[in-house]
Amino acid sequence: MKIGMNMLLWTNHVTEQHFSIVDTLKKTGYDGVELFLGEGDEKHYSKLGNHFSSIDMGVTAVGALSPDQNIASPDKKVRAAGLEQLKWTIDMAAAANVEVICGPFHSTFAYFTRQPPTIEEKQWSNEMLWHAAEYAKQANIILTPEAVNRFECYLYNTMADLGAMVEAVNHPNLGAMFDTHHANIEEKSQSSAIKTIAPHLKHVHISENDRGTPGSGQINFNDAFSALKEINYDGWLTIEAFSTIIPEFANAINVWRDYSPSEEIYTEGLKLIKNGMGID
């Protein structure tokens, strides 16, 4: 099992100027970092990956699609554009030595039709996800689409729905991820949700209900950790928390205030995970 920290707490585009943060996370006890893949080229991400490798830090990543790249769209050209974006994301991830790409890239984040999801939308999304997973195979990268809460997505909100999607796509390079924040809104309990997705679970986000310091809010982390231990989960446990440091990005995800000091988030969050999972 590996513990990671999502760099979105500080930036939506990691560069050399953020290496000091990564180095601090390494000294604190983290096994890796998680990047948002939104801009840059292979040279840029290769430079990042080389630094992370030099200090023995693993890497995971977050990918996303814009409205004109929605792979659940009825428009073939939009779906094709989405697949090309996913391939670009995979290429950048491969350059940075990324192991897992997560995120709600089964559709476009915060895009709504104001109707329930249709069978056709899910089929269109599944087809593109299969092609993306096939492309990811050559880079030995696992794709883990994310079910997010009803205020950020309409296509997939629960682990039951997400599990059905993974089974429908049926590709070894596509699994599922679980996020404690979204489960706190959409599921009956953390443990039941984890057990539901257990056969397909490849990535986990540890995130408080207010996106601040894990363990400082309302989420029942004991329930989550107990279930993760019960299913013998051995993948990444990555803390995801947000701030207002990058206003444009914060506004895009409806973050209007800072929830906790960044140092508190990554130090206390690490302690929570280690205590909860029984890691020395």
Side-chain angles (χ1 to χ4, degrees):
M1 186 178 297
K2 294 166 285 189
I3 303 175
M5 182 69 212
N6 193 310
M7 293 296 291
L8 284 171
L9 180 61
W10 297 277
T11 181
N12 63 331
H13 183 55
V14 175
T15 66
E16 292 177 73
Q17 73 180 30
H18 301 106
F19 283 175
S20 61
I21 297 173
V22 178
D23 295 345
T24 296
L25 292 173
K26 174 67 177 180
K27 293 175 183 177
T28 304
Y30 282 87
D31 301 302
V33 291
E34 189 160 274
L35 314 176
F36 177 75
L37 302 177
E39 57 181 293
D41 55 22
E42 290 189 38
K43 182 179 179 180
H44 170 75
Y45 286 106
S46 179
K47 184 179 294 185
L48 297 185
N50 288 338
H51 177 71
F52 301 149
S53 294
S54 73
I55 60 173
D56 194 28
M57 284 287 266
V59 197
T60 61
V62 178
L65 300 173
S66 65
D68 58 358
Q69 299 166 339
N70 183 10
I71 61 173
S73 169
D75 188 324
K76 289 183 179 180
K77 291 183 180 179
V78 172
R79 298 200 301 274
L83 179 58
E84 288 307 306
Q85 175 63 22
L86 290 176
K87 289 181 176 179
W88 176 89
T89 301
I90 293 163
D91 288 341
M92 299 308 106
N97 303 318
V98 166
E99 301 172 30
V100 173
I101 301 174
C102 65
F105 50 79
H106 44 66
S107 55
T108 295
F109 176 79
Y111 171 82
F112 296 92
T113 63
R114 297 303 171 188
Q115 298 292 328
T118 66
I119 293 175
E120 290 79 11
E121 285 174 318
K122 291 187 175 183
Q123 289 174 337
W124 291 323
S125 175
N126 290 349
E127 179 185 3
M128 294 300 101
L129 287 174
W130 189 92
H131 287 296
E134 185 69 7
Y135 191 81
K137 183 168 65 173
Q138 48 84 28
N140 197 31
I141 290 174
I142 301 297
L143 305 182
T144 60
E146 177 181 17
V148 299
N149 70 76
R150 72 194 77 170
F151 307 108
E152 298 179 357
C153 167
Y154 73 97
L155 201 65
Y156 293 106
N157 303 128
T158 68
M159 292 300 100
D161 283 343
L162 193 67
M165 180 266 283
V166 175
E167 291 173 4
V169 175
N170 190 27
H171 195 287
N173 284 77
L174 185 131
M177 72 164 291
F178 173 80
D179 186 306
T180 57
H181 169 84
H182 298 298
N184 185 61
I185 298 172
E186 297 294 342
E187 307 284 357
K188 297 300 184 184
S189 74
Q190 298 284 330
S191 60
S192 63
I194 289 169
K195 291 173 185 177
T196 295
I197 202 63
H200 312 294
L201 186 61
K202 301 296 182 183
H203 195 57
V204 172
H205 273 175
I206 300 298
S207 188
E208 192 50 87
N209 67 284
D210 67 351
R211 297 297 200 177
T213 302
S216 67
Q218 300 181 35
I219 289 181
N220 188 341
F221 283 106
N222 289 334
D223 192 38
F225 292 139
S226 176
L228 289 169
K229 287 187 286 187
E230 184 177 336
I231 68 169
N232 296 313
Y233 177 73
D234 63 354
W236 283 94
L237 291 174
T238 297
I239 294 175
E240 184 181 57
F242 300 129
S243 72
T244 60
I245 290 178
I246 307 296
E248 295 82 4
F249 180 76
N251 294 348
I253 58 173
N254 298 333
V255 170
W256 314 117
R257 67 186 189 280
D258 288 317
Y259 306 109
S260 303
S262 60
E263 184 174 358
E264 177 188 294
I265 289 172
Y266 72 78
T267 56
E268 295 303 311
L270 181 65
K271 291 177 185 177
L272 175 80
I273 294 173
K274 287 190 170 184
N275 290 337
M277 297 301 295
I279 301 172
D280 294 331

